[in-house]
Amino acid sequence: STRQCGEDGLKFREILRLYLSPRLEIVSVGKHDIIGTKQGDAAALVKNDSSQFVAHVWTPGATPPEPGSYAGIKLSAPNLVGYGSSDVNGDGNDDLVWLKRTGPKTGRLRVALSDGVDYGADQTWFDGNMTVPLAGARLLTGDFNADGRRDAAILAKGDGAGKAKLILFKKKS
């Protein structure tokens, strides 16, 4: 139980990691700025009864704390390769990025841009051949080419034993 974890000397972050791992990411203040406050926001994708992940964003500093907004974005669990939060359009707000497998090596990269208040309608940023097997692949976000802009990438099995490939998707200027 949570009480037992506390009595065993575990801190809140350690307890959350035990109960929510591997889907929990605890980050430093300001890392995920969805609503544009520059303070960072609490956000989660929660699985509903229809096996879809629904985006929730909590407003920081609300008194009492708000229960979270249904951002209108629902990600179907079947064929979901991964999802992430990253400022992929460079406006200072973290956007929701996800990849769904449409075939063994084909997929659809979708993005819901944050307007500083909520997520907008989702958009397809890439749909087609990913050139790598998507079974067991991971969706990553970060500035992989050091151009100062956030990118999306797929880390997948490579051509030989113990090898991997990184496929980079970057927003065109």
Side-chain angles (χ1 to χ4, degrees), residues 30 32-42 58-61 92-93 116-117:
H32 294 298
D33 189 15
I34 297 163
I35 63 172
T37 62
K38 306 297 182 223
Q39 297 176 356
D41 306 307
W58 284 265
T59 304
N93 301 316
V117 176

Side-chain angles (χ1 to χ4, degrees), residues 66-82:
E66 295 176 5
S69 67
Y70 285 92
I73 304 298
K74 294 180 181 172
L75 311 178
S76 296
N79 299 320
L80 183 64
V81 174

Side-chain angles (χ1 to χ4, degrees), residues 110-124:
R110 310 275 298 167
V111 175
L113 299 175
S114 172
D115 63 5
V117 176
D118 216 337
Y119 291 116
D122 53 311
Q123 308 166 22
T124 299

Side-chain angles (χ1 to χ4, degrees), residues 122-133:
D122 53 311
Q123 308 166 22
T124 299
W125 279 22
F126 183 86
D127 188 0
N129 188 358
M130 303 287 179
T131 72
V132 293

